[in-house]
Every structure is written in structure tokens, then in C-alpha cells.
Amino acid sequence: MSLKVFVLGGTGFIGPYLLEALGEKGYEIYALVRSRSKIARLPPQVRPVLGDAMVPGEWQKVAAQCEVGINLAGANIFHRWDPEYRRLILDSRVLSTQLLGQALSEGRGRVLLNSSAVGFYGDRGEEELSEESPPGQDFLAQVCQKWEAAAFNFKDRLRVVVG
């Protein structure tokens, strides 16, 4: 029996490469898609699941049957950041993490791999940064902190990896 993996953000910037690599390893892969038109973007070995990562739904039942959840979901940051879009940037990351983590932790989940971003550190110019460097104070740094916190809320039930 192969490992079951549930992926959010599989049709985004990094997702297609990850899905292809997982498929080559022989994993049983499920990917959440928001519309039927996005199904064509998935490699043939990926099983599409319709739903919205920011809304609880039937997709969580499928995710609950998987051992690993990978969250790459998030609204594109290359957009005009009016207040409404800032809310979407935050919610698309935090809500997707909460809902995937909930499904995994209530089901067969063992591992949550969750995206983050270098934006965690904010704009620090030429300053040399390390994993021990404190977070920045700007909008993206605050998003990353909330995003990572949402993932680490499941650390008592799942192995959580953020990167």
C-alpha cells in the first residue's frame, strides 16, 4: 500500500513540479482544485478533488484519509495590495493551513508540510540572516508568522514541517 499524499496548491507556481516528483516516487496523490478547468493542469497520476482550501468541505474527508498533507496554497502576491487583497493573501494561507491540519489531525494524518516564505524576515537590506534571526515587522512578515503559527497549532498531533 503506497503512502497517500494530499496537496493544496498543486496547480500553482511550485505545485506541478512537486506533483510530478511525487508521482515518480509512486505515491497515491490527491490534489485540491477549485474548478474542473484546473484538472487538466494535473499530471495523469494525480486524483483531483474539487473544493476551496479556504472553505470547510467534502475535500477534508479525502484529506483525512491521507498520511501526509502538503500546503502550497496562497493567493498570488504579485497583485495590487489593497485592503481586500491583503485580507485574501492572509486568509488564503492561514485558513488553508487550519483546514488541512484539522482534517489530517482528525484522520490518518501523520505529517503536515506547510509552505512559508522568506518574507518572514521582512526587508532587511544587506543584513545577513539565519534561522535564528527575528521576524520582520512588515505585512508579509506578519502573514508568515500567522501562517507558521497556524501550522504549529497541530504539532501535538502531527509532525509539522514549515519551510
Side-chain angles (χ1 to χ4, degrees), residues 12-162:
F13 184 63
I14 296 170
Y17 302 102
L18 175 67
L19 294 175
E20 196 67 44
L22 293 172
E24 290 171 4
K25 297 287 185 190
Y27 296 126
E28 188 175 328
I29 311 159
Y30 299 85
L32 187 68
V33 292
R34 287 179 296 203
S35 65
R36 292 192 186 283
S37 64
K38 292 196 176 217
I39 293 172
R41 295 184 190 175
L42 299 174
Q45 69 271 29
V46 176
R47 297 174 177 152
V49 178
L50 287 171
D52 183 334
M54 294 181 4
V55 178
E58 292 296 310
W59 67 268
Q60 290 178 288
K61 291 179 182 176
V62 178
Q65 297 305 310
C66 296
E67 290 87 12
V68 177
I70 301 174
N71 184 9
L72 304 173
N76 189 331
I77 63 167
F78 300 107
H79 193 279
R80 184 170 178 270
W81 291 7
D82 60 25
E84 184 178 327
Y85 202 78
R86 283 177 179 253
R87 173 55 54 191
L88 179 62
I89 288 171
L90 177 65
D91 287 350
S92 64
R93 287 160 175 77
V94 173
L95 293 176
S96 63
T97 299
Q98 291 170 340
L99 293 172
L100 179 59
Q102 176 187 12
L104 293 168
S105 65
E106 292 175 359
R108 298 179 57 206
R110 298 191 320 238
V111 179
L112 170 61
L113 302 171
N114 207 73
S115 296
S116 186
V118 70
F120 178 90
Y121 300 105
D123 183 357
R124 309 276 272 278
E126 296 298 317
E127 179 182 346
E128 188 172 315
L129 302 171
S130 72
E131 288 288 320
E132 289 76 36
S133 298
Q137 301 299 315
D138 63 12
F139 171 70
L140 282 183
Q142 292 171 17
V143 168
C144 289
Q145 290 172 70
K146 291 174 182 174
W147 193 9
E148 290 186 12
F152 286 122
N153 279 335
F154 297 98
K155 69 181 181 192
D156 293 338
R157 293 168 272 172
L158 303 168
R159 180 174 179 214
V160 176
V161 180
V162 173

